[in-house]
Short mmCIF file of all heavy atoms in Angstrom, two decimals:
data_model
loop_
_atom_site.label_atom_id
_atom_site.label_comp_id
_atom_site.label_asym_id
_atom_site.label_seq_id
_atom_site.Cartn_x
_atom_site.Cartn_y
_atom_site.Cartn_z
N HIS A 1 -68.86 -48.02 60.18
CA HIS A 1 -69.56 -49.04 60.97
C HIS A 1 -69.38 -50.42 60.32
O HIS A 1 -69.11 -50.53 59.11
CB HIS A 1 -71.04 -48.73 61.11
CG HIS A 1 -71.77 -48.53 59.78
ND1 HIS A 1 -72.31 -49.56 59.09
CD2 HIS A 1 -71.94 -47.41 59.02
CE1 HIS A 1 -72.83 -49.12 57.97
NE2 HIS A 1 -72.68 -47.81 57.92
N PRO A 2 -69.53 -51.45 61.09
CA PRO A 2 -69.26 -52.82 60.59
C PRO A 2 -70.11 -53.19 59.40
O PRO A 2 -69.66 -53.96 58.54
CB PRO A 2 -69.58 -53.73 61.79
CG PRO A 2 -69.35 -52.84 62.98
CD PRO A 2 -69.82 -51.50 62.55
N GLY A 3 -71.33 -52.72 59.29
CA GLY A 3 -72.22 -53.06 58.25
C GLY A 3 -71.75 -52.57 56.87
O GLY A 3 -72.31 -52.95 55.85
N SER A 4 -70.78 -51.68 56.89
CA SER A 4 -70.27 -51.10 55.62
C SER A 4 -69.17 -51.98 55.01
O SER A 4 -68.73 -51.59 53.94
CB SER A 4 -69.73 -49.70 55.88
OG SER A 4 -68.57 -49.75 56.73
N ALA A 5 -68.78 -53.02 55.64
CA ALA A 5 -67.69 -53.85 55.12
C ALA A 5 -68.07 -54.47 53.77
O ALA A 5 -69.17 -55.03 53.61
CB ALA A 5 -67.32 -54.89 56.15
N VAL A 6 -67.13 -54.45 52.93
CA VAL A 6 -67.29 -55.12 51.56
C VAL A 6 -66.01 -55.91 51.30
O VAL A 6 -64.91 -55.44 51.57
CB VAL A 6 -67.49 -54.10 50.41
CG1 VAL A 6 -67.56 -54.77 49.08
CG2 VAL A 6 -68.75 -53.28 50.72
N TYR A 7 -66.16 -57.10 50.71
CA TYR A 7 -65.04 -58.02 50.55
C TYR A 7 -64.93 -58.44 49.08
O TYR A 7 -65.95 -58.58 48.38
CB TYR A 7 -65.21 -59.30 51.37
CG TYR A 7 -65.29 -59.02 52.85
CD1 TYR A 7 -66.52 -58.79 53.48
CD2 TYR A 7 -64.18 -59.02 53.67
CE1 TYR A 7 -66.58 -58.55 54.86
CE2 TYR A 7 -64.21 -58.78 55.00
CZ TYR A 7 -65.41 -58.56 55.59
OH TYR A 7 -65.46 -58.29 56.95
N ALA A 8 -63.74 -58.68 48.68
CA ALA A 8 -63.52 -59.34 47.40
C ALA A 8 -64.06 -60.72 47.49
O ALA A 8 -64.06 -61.38 48.49
CB ALA A 8 -62.01 -59.40 47.09
N ASP A 9 -64.61 -61.18 46.31
CA ASP A 9 -65.16 -62.57 46.30
C ASP A 9 -64.16 -63.58 46.77
O ASP A 9 -64.62 -64.61 47.40
CB ASP A 9 -65.65 -62.86 44.89
CG ASP A 9 -66.88 -62.07 44.47
OD1 ASP A 9 -67.53 -61.51 45.32
OD2 ASP A 9 -67.15 -61.99 43.25
N SER A 10 -62.93 -63.44 46.45
CA SER A 10 -61.96 -64.44 46.77
C SER A 10 -61.69 -64.63 48.25
O SER A 10 -61.14 -65.67 48.65
CB SER A 10 -60.63 -64.14 46.07
OG SER A 10 -60.12 -62.88 46.49
N VAL A 11 -62.04 -63.67 49.07
CA VAL A 11 -61.80 -63.75 50.51
C VAL A 11 -63.08 -63.80 51.31
O VAL A 11 -63.03 -63.96 52.52
CB VAL A 11 -60.93 -62.59 50.99
CG1 VAL A 11 -59.67 -62.52 50.15
CG2 VAL A 11 -61.67 -61.28 51.00
N MET A 12 -64.22 -63.62 50.67
CA MET A 12 -65.50 -63.61 51.38
C MET A 12 -65.69 -64.88 52.22
O MET A 12 -65.52 -65.97 51.68
CB MET A 12 -66.62 -63.39 50.40
CG MET A 12 -67.94 -62.96 51.09
SD MET A 12 -69.17 -62.53 49.83
CE MET A 12 -68.36 -61.16 48.96
N GLY A 13 -66.03 -64.69 53.44
CA GLY A 13 -66.31 -65.85 54.34
C GLY A 13 -65.05 -66.27 55.02
O GLY A 13 -65.16 -67.08 55.99
N ARG A 14 -63.88 -65.83 54.62
CA ARG A 14 -62.65 -66.22 55.25
C ARG A 14 -61.94 -65.06 55.99
O ARG A 14 -61.33 -65.25 57.00
CB ARG A 14 -61.67 -66.79 54.23
CG ARG A 14 -62.16 -68.01 53.48
CD ARG A 14 -61.07 -68.59 52.61
NE ARG A 14 -60.63 -67.67 51.56
CZ ARG A 14 -59.41 -67.25 51.40
NH1 ARG A 14 -58.45 -67.60 52.24
NH2 ARG A 14 -59.12 -66.40 50.41
N PHE A 15 -62.13 -63.85 55.45
CA PHE A 15 -61.51 -62.66 56.04
C PHE A 15 -62.58 -61.82 56.69
O PHE A 15 -63.71 -61.71 56.21
CB PHE A 15 -60.79 -61.84 54.99
CG PHE A 15 -59.56 -62.47 54.39
CD1 PHE A 15 -59.23 -63.81 54.67
CD2 PHE A 15 -58.70 -61.70 53.57
CE1 PHE A 15 -58.12 -64.35 54.07
CE2 PHE A 15 -57.59 -62.31 53.02
CZ PHE A 15 -57.27 -63.60 53.29
N THR A 16 -62.17 -61.07 57.72
CA THR A 16 -63.04 -60.09 58.39
C THR A 16 -62.29 -58.78 58.57
O THR A 16 -61.25 -58.81 59.21
CB THR A 16 -63.55 -60.65 59.73
OG1 THR A 16 -64.25 -61.89 59.57
CG2 THR A 16 -64.51 -59.65 60.35
N ILE A 17 -62.87 -57.71 58.10
CA ILE A 17 -62.29 -56.40 58.34
C ILE A 17 -63.02 -55.73 59.46
O ILE A 17 -64.29 -55.78 59.56
CB ILE A 17 -62.30 -55.57 57.05
CG1 ILE A 17 -61.50 -54.25 57.22
CG2 ILE A 17 -63.72 -55.27 56.59
CD1 ILE A 17 -61.31 -53.48 55.92
N SER A 18 -62.32 -54.98 60.30
CA SER A 18 -62.96 -54.23 61.37
C SER A 18 -62.12 -52.98 61.63
O SER A 18 -60.93 -52.90 61.31
CB SER A 18 -63.15 -55.05 62.61
OG SER A 18 -61.85 -55.54 63.07
N ARG A 19 -62.76 -52.01 62.29
CA ARG A 19 -62.07 -50.76 62.65
C ARG A 19 -62.52 -50.26 63.98
O ARG A 19 -63.66 -50.46 64.38
CB ARG A 19 -62.26 -49.69 61.58
CG ARG A 19 -63.64 -49.15 61.46
CD ARG A 19 -63.81 -48.21 60.26
NE ARG A 19 -63.14 -46.94 60.47
CZ ARG A 19 -63.05 -45.97 59.53
NH1 ARG A 19 -63.63 -46.19 58.33
NH2 ARG A 19 -62.44 -44.85 59.81
N ASP A 20 -61.64 -49.55 64.65
CA ASP A 20 -61.92 -48.90 65.89
C ASP A 20 -61.72 -47.44 65.63
O ASP A 20 -60.57 -46.94 65.53
CB ASP A 20 -61.04 -49.35 67.00
CG ASP A 20 -61.42 -48.76 68.39
OD1 ASP A 20 -61.88 -47.61 68.42
OD2 ASP A 20 -61.21 -49.47 69.40
N ASN A 21 -62.77 -46.64 65.46
CA ASN A 21 -62.67 -45.24 65.09
C ASN A 21 -62.06 -44.41 66.19
O ASN A 21 -61.34 -43.45 65.88
CB ASN A 21 -64.05 -44.70 64.70
CG ASN A 21 -64.63 -45.33 63.50
OD1 ASN A 21 -63.93 -45.56 62.51
ND2 ASN A 21 -65.94 -45.54 63.47
N ALA A 22 -62.29 -44.75 67.41
CA ALA A 22 -61.73 -43.98 68.54
C ALA A 22 -60.21 -44.17 68.60
O ALA A 22 -59.46 -43.20 68.90
CB ALA A 22 -62.35 -44.37 69.84
N LYS A 23 -59.74 -45.36 68.27
CA LYS A 23 -58.30 -45.65 68.33
C LYS A 23 -57.63 -45.55 66.99
O LYS A 23 -56.39 -45.66 66.92
CB LYS A 23 -58.06 -47.02 68.88
CG LYS A 23 -58.52 -47.19 70.34
CD LYS A 23 -58.28 -48.61 70.84
CE LYS A 23 -58.71 -48.77 72.27
NZ LYS A 23 -58.44 -50.13 72.80
N ASN A 24 -58.39 -45.29 65.92
CA ASN A 24 -57.85 -45.19 64.63
C ASN A 24 -57.04 -46.45 64.20
O ASN A 24 -55.90 -46.33 63.75
CB ASN A 24 -57.03 -43.94 64.43
CG ASN A 24 -57.86 -42.67 64.46
OD1 ASN A 24 -58.98 -42.64 63.97
ND2 ASN A 24 -57.28 -41.57 65.00
N THR A 25 -57.68 -47.57 64.43
CA THR A 25 -56.99 -48.82 64.06
C THR A 25 -57.88 -49.61 63.11
O THR A 25 -59.11 -49.48 63.12
CB THR A 25 -56.69 -49.68 65.29
OG1 THR A 25 -57.88 -49.96 66.00
CG2 THR A 25 -55.70 -48.97 66.19
N LEU A 26 -57.25 -50.37 62.26
CA LEU A 26 -57.92 -51.23 61.26
C LEU A 26 -57.33 -52.63 61.39
O LEU A 26 -56.13 -52.74 61.53
CB LEU A 26 -57.66 -50.64 59.89
CG LEU A 26 -58.31 -51.43 58.68
CD1 LEU A 26 -59.81 -51.31 58.69
CD2 LEU A 26 -57.67 -50.98 57.42
N VAL A 27 -58.16 -53.62 61.33
CA VAL A 27 -57.74 -54.99 61.50
C VAL A 27 -58.27 -55.86 60.33
O VAL A 27 -59.38 -55.63 59.84
CB VAL A 27 -58.24 -55.55 62.84
CG1 VAL A 27 -58.02 -57.06 62.90
CG2 VAL A 27 -57.50 -54.86 63.96
#
């Protein structure tokens, strides 16, 4: 789920990770 996302300090606020479990895709 989206709430589980964790970021390196160097990219926090600039990068966003997301996934679609049904489609097995990661962005």
Side-chain angles (χ1 to χ4, degrees):
H1 56 88
S4 67
V6 178
Y7 300 89
D9 289 342
S10 60
V11 308
M12 196 173 300
R14 300 187 298 120
F15 291 10
T16 302
I17 188 171
S18 60
R19 67 187 289 176
D20 185 328
N21 294 321
K23 297 181 178 180
N24 290 326
T25 58
L26 179 72
V27 170

